[in-house]
Amino acid sequence: MTAQILDGKAAAQALCDQLQTRIAKLKENCRPRLAVVLVGDDEASHIYVRNKQKKAASVGIDCQVIELADGIGENALLSIIDELNRDSHTHGIIVQLPLPRHLDELKIISAISPDKDVDGFTPYNTGLMCCNHPQGFISATPLGVLKLLETTQVDLRGKHAVVIGRSNIVGKPMARLLLNRDCTVTITHSHSVNLPAITRQADILVSACGQPKMITSEWIKEGAIVLDVGITRFEGNICGDVDFDDVKNKASFITPVPGGVGPMTIACLLSNTLEAFLRAPECECSAHHLHHSHHCCRH
Ligand code: NAD
């Protein structure tokens, strides 16, 4: 079997085209704004933020990057987030991870107003997602994976989904989303014993562990759907967790790296930002049209 390739670049572009069309219909001077808080000089983080900024601009979302020194104190960072929470012109806020070690990630993330938490990382939005509640924001990476999975049109109910990795930002929310879609879910991690024996049972395998080319065809059930979230950088290239050339001969669908999950992550983040904007109680133009505040720029 040769797998069909799940083209994340094309799917992300289609989603961004839709966002651009919707944003172009908003009133002039009425644009969603995303604030990206970037602490320190982690090279990969700077690349991710630049990509987000470029893509945001291309769909018509203002993206304000707030670059802060590596040594910033917790209180100073919390007060910047507080300011952004109160700023009615800012609709989405993300804090680029990882943060320098002296900062408590969960404490910083938890300070973001849930209404502006377009990464879906706050405990509040995580809780809503766990309850399968439609109101929260779902983390962009697992949401992007799910959207790619849906393009296969395979009925997910009852499928055995195995997730490799249990981080708060990818593995755990991914497992929850698959559970919400009625999959039978197994979560694995670095302490899991005999991982290939577990992954061989997977109808759907999502890998998010950052171990380059760890997953070979031996780890895969014939006809499995394989979604590779992993990104490892070397010599200017990036590599996934899956040995693509080997696994593509056994899987039914597979995501490439690059060009799979990565572009979907950014598109879903921008989609969440537009959603936050549309849900905001007020925006630029509503100030001038109080009576129509819920209609002036919403479609
Ligand atoms: P993380 O380091 O927080 O978590 C990694 C997880 O993988 C841990 O739960 C760990 O237990 C597990 N793990 C590590 N080695 C393992 C092994 N040998 N076998 C089984 N499990 C193992 O990382 P993260 O933030 O969850 O990101 C995971 C990967 O996904 C990274 O490569 C990261 O760069 C990538 N990522 C990609 C996107 C994207 O948009 N494509 C977004 C976020 C993260």
Side-chain angles (χ1 to χ4, degrees):
M1 171 177 269
T2 303
Q4 286 186 50
I5 291 170
L6 295 171
D7 184 347
K9 210 169 158 191
Q13 193 53 52
L15 183 54
C16 285
D17 289 347
Q18 283 172 19
L19 296 177
Q20 187 185 22
T21 306
R22 291 172 70 194
I23 292 167
K25 285 185 190 152
L26 301 175
K27 275 197 144 199
E28 219 179 315
N29 297 327
C30 199
R31 290 283 172 270
R33 182 184 291 171
L34 172 67
V36 181
V37 179
L38 176 57
V39 184
D41 358 274
D42 181 76
E43 202 188 320
S45 292
H46 277 260
I47 295 173
Y48 292 138
V49 168
R50 259 200 309 278
N51 289 343
K52 287 171 188 173
Q53 202 173 16
K54 245 195 279 171
K55 207 67 201 172
S58 79
V59 302
I61 291 177
D62 288 340
C63 181
Q64 178 198 12
V65 179
I66 300 158
E67 288 192 46
L68 301 169
D70 197 67
I72 190 169
E74 187 173 276
N75 287 339
L77 181 52
L78 287 173
S79 71
I80 288 168
I81 292 174
D82 187 46
E83 227 173 274
L84 293 169
N85 283 340
R86 292 162 194 265
D87 175 17
S88 62
H89 302 299
T90 298
H91 308 97
I93 304 168
I94 65 173
V95 174
Q96 185 67 39
L97 300 178
L99 286 172
R101 276 166 182 241
H102 68 282
L103 296 166
D104 177 345
E105 264 181 19
L106 190 57
K107 187 167 180 190
I108 302 295
I109 293 295
S110 302
I112 299 171
S113 162
D115 300 335
K116 299 189 179 188
D117 167 33
V118 288
D119 255 343
F121 290 166
T122 59
Y124 185 82
N125 280 317
T126 303
L128 288 179
M129 192 261 299
C130 286
C131 302
N132 204 6
H133 193 289
Q135 189 62 26
F137 290 108
I138 298 174
S139 319
T141 300
L143 182 59
V145 172
L146 190 67
K147 283 183 188 287
L148 275 179
L149 188 52
E150 283 172 347
T151 65
T152 65
Q153 298 192 326
V154 168
D155 184 1
L156 302 182
R157 284 174 300 178
K159 293 285 187 299
H160 187 185
V162 174
V163 178
I164 306 179
R166 57 163 168 194
S167 71
N168 286 337
I169 64 172
V170 190
K172 280 185 210 159
M174 188 71 247
R176 273 291 181 168
L177 284 183
L178 291 163
L179 187 60
N180 290 347
R181 293 303 169 105
D182 298 325
C183 291
T184 301
V185 182
T186 302
I187 308 178
T188 65
H189 46 79
S190 52
H191 296 278
S192 296
V193 176
N194 200 357
L195 193 51
I198 303 171
T199 58
R200 272 196 290 272
Q201 296 170 36
D203 302 307
I204 298 164
L205 179 64
V206 181
S207 185
C209 68
Q211 303 294 324
K213 295 195 182 184
M214 179 178 82
I215 297 154
T216 60
S217 58
E218 312 262 277
W219 290 46
I220 302 288
K221 184 203 258 193
E222 185 81 40
I225 302 174
V226 179
L227 301 129
D228 189 356
V229 182
I231 294 179
T232 305
R233 293 178 180 278
F234 64 94
E235 294 167 4
N237 292 318
I238 65 171
C239 174
D241 295 345
V242 175
D243 185 342
F244 180 88
D245 289 329
D246 184 23
V247 171
K248 77 175 193 304
N249 299 319
K250 207 164 178 191
S252 57
F253 294 91
I254 188 168
T255 59
V257 177
V261 175
M264 285 303 284
T265 296
I266 298 184
C268 290
L269 170 71
L270 299 178
S271 172
N272 280 349
T273 304
L274 176 57
E275 189 58 37
F277 167 83
L278 296 173
R279 288 184 198 172
E282 53 181 54
C283 65
E284 272 283 78
C285 40
S286 64
H288 307 295
H289 302 273
L290 283 177
H291 298 298
H292 308 288
S293 62
H294 286 286
H295 307 290
C296 66
C297 60
R298 292 165 169 77
H299 298 270

